Amino acid sequence: MRKTITTALAAVLLAAVTACGDGSGGGAGNGSDGTITMGFAQVGAESGWRTANTKSIQESAKSAGIELKFSDAQQKQENQIKAIRSYIQQKVDVIAFSPVVETGWDTILLEAQRAKIPVILTDRAIDSDDTSLYETFLGSDFVEEGKKAGKWLVENTDGPVNVVELQGTTGAAPAIDRKEGFEAEIRSNPEIKVVASQTGDFTRSGGKQVMEAFLKSQPDIDVVYAHNDDMGLGAIEAIKAAGKKPGVDVKIITVDAVKDGMTALANGEINFIVECNPLLGPQLMDLAKKVVAGEEVPERVVTEETTFTQEQAKAALPDRKY
Ligand code: AHR
């Protein structure tokens, strides 16, 4: 039974992997006209952020004249590994991916290295001692994002505060780092306590479900710290269903600043959002061209980001693109 499911999954994945390209393989600047082919292994479609990120990558590839082979791993590492292996077999010129989790990539990246296909990490980092396995890492500083969230809480609170934390996907860089950064900041105020912390897998339904459980098990919740907007929006639904007022009875801090999150912030249902910029496409395509041409690229490219209060969200919303 298990084998059947695995085989079916592999077939679906392979279809998805080839769907966005012509399936002929070989670019390299390899195509007869010098077209670069990129294989991109996306995490999934778990959040508004991810949807905006995918759109940015697909649109930027098109305008950069890069042929994109795109796959959606449905938040499963095994699917990403299969997609990357398929890109290696298809002899793409460059592989880019946003790792679902931090660990377990060395074997597949060694296969890419042996096939002389450069790899670019986007959005999320991996945890490996061998930095020769990838050319560069383009994305946010997630520890810094967690710190910004913690700093706002320290500055906007007095007296004892009970926080519940909605973590991102277990083992994912943004979940690990946003937790670490937040904890480092709130340490300065012993009256702020994280009384419960659980993963909501970066999804709205996950955030809602975990928040419902928190509301039953925790008698006194002052603040929700959600590692992304979607989980915060799910928490809002749970808080309302419990007869409380989000943003007033329970304060909410999230990360991302996608349109739905910003709307809730402007409406007073979220109190503070730390931005995580999903529009990585243009920078990724520039880096890919350089890497394929054998040019030097920086080891790390950090995305510039800001934060939003309720007033700032009201001002920024009309121009928010995603
Ligand atoms: O890796 C970036 C994170 O992944 C975003 O904050 C979240 O919304 C997404 O699912």
Side-chain angles (χ1 to χ4, degrees):
M1 180 62 174
R2 189 159 181 191
K3 196 166 176 200
T4 320
I5 293 169
T6 311
T7 314
L9 243 177
V12 169
L13 190 72
L14 191 67
V17 164
T18 49
C20 293
D22 63 6
S24 61
N30 244 323
S32 48
D33 58 353
T35 306
I36 293 172
T37 303
M38 172 188 283
F40 189 91
Q42 181 59 289
V43 168
E46 72 283 5
S47 61
W49 189 99
R50 190 64 55 196
T51 307
N53 179 248
T54 292
K55 192 164 174 254
S56 168
I57 285 155
Q58 290 174 333
E59 287 177 357
S60 310
K62 210 167 176 193
S63 22
I66 291 180
E67 189 194 323
L68 185 68
K69 293 175 186 290
F70 182 89
S71 64
D72 172 341
Q74 297 173 358
Q75 296 228 74
K76 292 195 173 67
Q77 183 176 34
E78 77 236 43
N79 289 349
Q80 275 195 315
I81 291 175
K82 277 179 202 155
I84 294 171
R85 191 159 284 133
S86 157
Y87 295 145
I88 296 171
Q89 281 156 5
Q90 293 175 63
K91 298 187 170 53
V92 298
D93 300 305
V94 55
I95 291 171
F97 80 115
S98 173
V100 178
V101 290
E102 275 192 343
T103 56
W105 299 103
D106 284 33
T107 306
I108 189 67
L109 295 188
L110 262 176
E111 287 176 34
Q113 194 174 62
R114 285 196 194 108
K116 299 196 169 26
I117 299 177
V119 171
I120 299 175
L121 302 179
T122 82
D123 163 33
R124 298 181 181 181
I126 60 167
D127 182 3
S128 168
D129 292 335
D130 187 354
T131 53
S132 79
L133 293 175
Y134 54 92
E135 305 296 320
T136 179
F137 164 37
L138 161 69
S140 311
D141 182 336
F142 296 134
V143 176
E144 195 50 40
E145 290 174 351
K147 282 187 181 173
K148 287 176 187 169
K151 189 166 184 279
W152 182 84
L153 184 58
V154 170
E155 287 171 356
N156 289 275
T157 202
D158 58 318
V161 181
N162 287 342
V163 182
V164 294
E165 182 179 32
L166 295 168
Q167 293 182 41
T169 304
T170 305
I176 296 166
D177 294 353
R178 286 173 188 165
K179 183 175 181 51
E180 184 191 315
F182 184 77
E183 283 171 356
E185 280 296 320
I186 63 167
R187 215 164 283 145
S188 65
N189 181 349
E191 293 212 284
I192 301 176
K193 290 199 173 66
V194 178
V195 292
S197 179
Q198 206 177 304
T199 179
D201 213 11
F202 280 130
T203 65
R204 208 173 282 211
S205 58
K208 185 178 177 198
Q209 230 180 309
V210 176
M211 192 63 206
E212 282 165 353
F214 282 165
L215 284 161
K216 284 183 191 136
S217 64
Q218 298 298 325
D220 191 9
I221 300 172
D222 302 303
V223 172
V224 174
Y225 168 44
H227 289 188
N228 79 345
D229 286 349
D230 280 80
M231 290 190 295
L233 292 163
I236 289 175
E237 290 176 33
I239 292 166
K240 282 182 180 167
K244 296 187 178 194
K245 223 174 162 203
V248 179
D249 298 329
V250 181
K251 302 256 188 312
I252 303 179
I253 305 167
T254 67
V255 184
D256 274 357
V258 295
K259 223 175 204 162
D260 286 355
M262 292 286 274
T263 305
L265 181 62
N267 291 342
E269 294 188 327
I270 292 180
N271 303 80
F272 187 65
I273 300 186
V274 177
E275 185 184 39
C276 178
N277 187 354
L279 306 181
L280 303 178
Q283 276 173 298
L284 173 61
M285 299 310 148
D286 280 353
L287 287 167
K289 283 185 178 175
K290 288 188 178 144
V291 161
V292 171
E295 288 173 33
E296 287 267 315
V297 290
E299 273 171 34
R300 176 79 170 98
V301 182
V302 184
T303 320
E304 275 183 34
E305 285 154 355
T306 182
T307 57
F308 295 96
T309 60
Q310 293 175 334
E311 286 314 309
Q312 289 165 331
K314 280 180 205 158
L317 249 183
D319 298 325
R320 204 72 183 159
K321 296 267 181 315
Y322 55 88

